[in-house]
Amino acid sequence: MTDKNFMVDNSTRTDLFSPIKLGEIELANRIVMAPLTRGRMNEEGVPNDLNITYYIQRASAGLIISEATNISAQGRGYAKTPGIWTEDQIAGWKKITDAVHSASGKIVMQLWHVGRCSHVDLQPNGEAPVAPSAIKADGNSYTNNGIVEVSMPRALKIDEIPNIVEQYRHAAECAKRAGFDGVEIHSANNYLLEQFLRDSTNHRTDQYGGSIANRARLILEVVEAVTNVWGDGRVGIRLSPITTEVGNTPLDSNVMETYGYLIQQLNKFKLAYLHFVEGITGKSRSVPEGVDLNALRSLFDGAYIGNNNYDLEIAISRRAEGKVDAVAFGRPFISNPDLVDRLRYGIELAHASIETHYGNGEKGYIDWPKANSFHIESSCSKS
Ligand SMILES: Cc1cc2nc3c(=O)[nH]c(=O)nc-3n(C[C@H](O)[C@H](O)[C@H](O)COP(=O)(O)O)c2cc1C
């Protein structure tokens, strides 16, 4: 830690710390907390007091996107993750949204169905996870027995697909009752919706496979169902056109055409925002030849949130170039509950080791100090 890092007021050189409206959601600043699964829920997926503390500590983010939240028992791919389909889950989340709102924060819920990225132990009646096609992911899941290889999925029958849309609609309604400011449809990181979109994971020959329009169909049906619940400007969507996470998933054979088509279709709905993971999630910002993420982003009519391996300098410069409306930070929010102030005033950031990411109760979860106490401690230790 060096003293020169302290108290540089970055507000004078960027508007990242100024308010913005994403659709109908008013944010106090353009720093967004990215969705972060933390594995601190119970078996029933019901939020508890620890989770309330965690979210309220981070309420100075312009917007909190909740950790990915299972829309149904079938949608679940990891133990200790939250849900949003039962009354108890709604009541648990309501305490979190109330707490965040009482601290003048805003919070949307990320709606999640993992598709093939699950294990039979997590599925109702020990059944196989569902996917567009019976293609196994090359990755791990987490059950109460620890880290395990994902199970072989089965292809959804065409007459089961309306029920998938219904799961999203029901979850969207539950999220509304839980007091969220909106929802984010998780169509990233190669979970169910992106599995349908990519030709690497979708080998169907019915109206949900083959052409780009067919592969995008489920996402668009879900967006329609969820926007019918929430209305204009309260639904965002997260996409990750070039990530291979999770499940070591190959990219689509034509990223620009496939995602370009989808994004243009999304313009029919008045979404709050489009949110991209720009690169390989948590790993790299490099872009393969032939892909232009800025060009894809510019097909979208509404607000845009950029994410992935940002630091303050990248955020300031991409904002200054008009490439992003807001920036989502993931890992920095784990260890810096007051990330907005730290970025604004040039205060050094704390770094969380990977061991703190999932599980472990309050340790590495709610025990990261805010800058004030951090400063006091550090000045005391110097004297
Ligand atoms: C512990 C952890 C949990 C994550 N959970 C989610 C999640 O629930 N939903 C999601 O879309 N992305 C999730 N991600 C990805 C992050 O939202 C983000 O895209 C990634 O960390 C890159 O941003 P960063 O460089 O600012 O951390 C997770 C990442 C980490 C490290």
Side-chain angles (χ1 to χ4, degrees), residues 268-379:
K268 293 182 183 158
F269 306 93
K270 292 199 167 50
L271 296 182
Y273 62 82
L274 171 67
H275 180 186
F276 265 10
V277 178
E278 300 166 343
I280 301 182
T281 318
K283 293 198 169 148
S284 130
R285 291 186 56 78
S286 67
V287 177
E289 223 180 292
V291 175
D292 181 346
L293 292 180
N294 292 323
L296 281 179
R297 175 269 171 273
S298 65
L299 296 172
F300 186 65
D301 290 343
Y304 174 78
I305 304 176
N307 163 256
N308 200 31
N309 278 357
Y310 271 79
D311 60 18
L312 182 64
E313 293 313 313
I314 303 175
I316 288 178
S317 82
R318 290 205 23 101
R319 175 66 204 134
E321 291 165 4
K323 297 265 173 31
V324 295
D325 296 296
V327 174
F329 290 87
R331 287 162 295 178
F333 263 110
I334 291 180
S335 42
N336 301 278
D338 54 345
L339 182 67
V340 177
D341 272 352
R342 289 188 185 226
L343 295 177
R344 181 188 281 136
Y345 298 119
I347 299 168
E348 190 168 352
L349 302 187
H351 294 280
S353 69
I354 202 159
E355 292 74 41
T356 63
H357 284 185
Y358 307 105
N360 270 339
E362 58 189 70
K363 198 163 173 293
Y365 186 55
I366 56 162
D367 54 358
W368 297 98
K370 289 193 174 184
N372 279 345
S373 52
F374 185 77
H375 278 138
I376 294 162
E377 278 169 28
S378 107
S379 59

